[in-house]
Each structure stands twice: as C-alpha cells, then as structure tokens.
Amino acid sequence: MFNLLILLNDSGTIPDTLVPRAENRTFFLTGLFAISLVLIAIARISNYKALGTVINAFFSGGPIQQLLKENMRIGSLSSILLIINYLIVTFICVYLMLNRTFGLTANTSLLFASIVPVGFTIFEIMGMAMASFITGEGKTMEPAFQTSWVGFEFIGLPLSVLALIWIMNPSLNALCLVVFSILIGTRVLQRITKSSILILNKGVAWYYIFLYLCTLEILPLIVAYYCVQMSFRPLI
C-alpha cells in the first residue's frame, strides 16, 4: 500500500499492470546449489574418506586403483553422489555463463546448460569405451577411466564454491567466467596428461594416443561445435 501511494504521488496514475522486477532464476539456482551441498554432505557422511580420497587421487602422479579400492570404490554411493554434484554445479555455471555473461535468453541458456554437462560426461566416457573396444585393451584403459571419473568428482568441489559466488555476485560475471574456464581447462589437461602417461607406462605406443586424441577427442568436438552453431543460431 505504501509503495502504491508513492507511485500515485510520483505519476498521478495507477498502472494497469504490475511490472515485475528484473526476471531471474536466482531462487531456482540457489535451490540447486543447496541440493549440491546436501549431496556432498551425504557423500561425506556415507564415507568419511570420500573427499580426501578424491583430492589425493586427483593430485596423485601415479596409478590410483589401489587408493580407490581401499578408500572409495567408483561405484559406491559417495562416488555417485559426487558425480551428481558435478553435474548440478556445472549446470549452474554453464547457465550463468550463457545467460548473464553472453546474454542468451533464459530458455536457450537452460537448454544448453541441461545438455552440456551430461553430454560432455557421456562423450568423454564413450570415447574411452570406444578406444577400449577397438584396441581390445580394456585393462590398459582402466587407469584412464579412473582418472576421468575422479576428475569429475574433484572438479565438482571447487565448482560448488564458484557457483555460490557466481549466483550471489552478478557483478563478477567476467571474473567467474575466467575462473570457470581455468578450472575446466585444468581438469581436461590433467586428465589427458595423466592418462597418457599411465597408458604409455603400460606399453602402449605414443602414436595410438595421438590418434585417439585426434579422432575421439578433438574431431568430435569440432563437429559438435559447428552443428550446434548452425542449428541454434536462430535461438541465439
């Protein structure tokens, strides 16, 4: 009522409709972030070694099979919850990047934010699965699978912090985008470097790794980029 009186004093007329303030999905994103915190907490309660194991495995320079076997198996509840946390916080960051930083519409941002985390995860796992099938070296590729999986679990932790800062501080869009790019780039570089070293140590020739990177990592990303650019340009 008080606001209405002020409006009457300023303009002398009553507006036909109430115009909402800047449309945003802050509450929705905050709710998703709260879910991610709950998942991390449950993972920690389920296995008190979970977070420490993920951090140690990510920064370990050698094989992590024994470390995971003793402390947190990949198929365990804690492991799965950390993967879900990664997908949620990546969704948040991708949405904020597209909507706030690049100015895409909310619906378009939601579409891409829903596709990118899941699609990128499936793409990475399927690439290694195809390499294992083609070469028949399933055991040899196992360290690469483990490195990739742990990388998802680990990077979800700093992304959770970044997501909170990004949601609450729209003025830091540019800085958050840089940090997001650095985190994702670091994780990809760590995965490729560590997996390559571990596979080379198992006797795989370096040119097989080179062919894998070109055909199952780089080429599909280039094709996907151009397909998305051509298909969704009208929406953007």
Side-chain angles (χ1 to χ4, degrees):
M1 179 63 70
F2 180 71
N3 291 335
L4 182 60
L5 291 175
I6 293 177
L7 185 60
L8 284 170
N9 290 334
D10 289 341
S11 62
T13 60
I14 299 177
D16 295 330
T17 59
L18 295 177
V19 180
R21 295 181 180 178
E23 183 179 352
N24 61 70
R25 287 177 167 78
T26 301
F27 290 113
F28 170 68
L29 297 177
T30 304
L32 282 180
F33 174 76
I35 293 174
S36 78
L37 286 185
V38 171
L39 293 178
I40 294 175
I42 295 175
R44 175 66 175 76
I45 294 172
S46 176
N47 182 355
Y48 73 95
K49 296 181 179 179
L51 301 185
T53 300
V54 167
I55 295 173
N56 290 335
F58 183 82
F59 289 103
S60 172
I64 58 175
Q65 181 177 9
Q66 191 62 30
L67 177 65
L68 296 177
K69 184 178 180 180
E70 294 176 354
N71 297 284
M72 186 182 70
R73 295 181 181 275
I74 284 181
S76 66
L77 175 62
S78 297
S79 179
I80 294 173
L81 291 178
L82 291 177
I83 290 293
I84 298 175
N85 169 70
Y86 158 77
L87 294 175
I88 291 176
V89 294
T90 305
F91 168 89
I92 294 174
C93 291
V94 171
Y95 174 84
L96 292 173
M97 175 184 68
L98 297 177
N99 184 248
R100 288 186 181 177
T101 307
F102 295 149
L104 271 65
T105 64
N107 290 336
T108 303
S109 299
L110 283 173
L111 175 63
F112 279 103
S114 301
I115 293 173
V116 169
V118 177
F120 183 77
T121 303
I122 294 176
F123 163 76
E124 187 172 303
I125 298 298
M126 288 300 296
M128 289 182 289
M130 288 180 62
S132 298
F133 176 76
I134 293 172
T135 61
E137 296 288 346
K139 275 292 184 180
T140 303
M141 290 294 295
E142 188 174 353
F145 279 105
Q146 294 171 342
T147 299
S148 181
W149 194 263
V150 168
F152 289 130
E153 295 173 337
F154 170 81
I155 209 65
L157 301 178
L159 283 181
S160 297
V161 178
L162 176 63
L164 177 61
I165 296 174
W166 208 338
I167 291 171
M168 299 303 176
N169 298 276
S171 60
L172 299 179
N173 283 334
L175 177 59
C176 290
L177 175 59
V178 171
V179 175
F180 178 66
S181 301
I182 291 174
L183 288 174
I184 296 299
T186 300
R187 188 256 157 193
V188 172
L189 182 62
Q190 183 267 355
R191 175 181 67 84
I192 293 175
T193 302
K194 184 174 180 178
S195 298
S196 299
I197 293 174
L198 293 175
I199 293 174
L200 284 172
N201 289 338
K202 286 184 172 290
V204 176
W206 65 268
Y207 51 83
Y208 284 122
I209 298 175
F210 179 77
L211 289 173
Y212 163 77
L213 292 175
C214 292
T215 57
L216 296 177
E217 291 270 359
I218 299 174
L219 182 60
L221 287 178
I222 295 175
V223 173
Y225 170 78
Y226 282 106
C227 288
V228 168
Q229 188 182 46
M230 293 175 63
S231 300
F232 294 97
R233 185 176 295 173
L235 297 175
I236 300 174

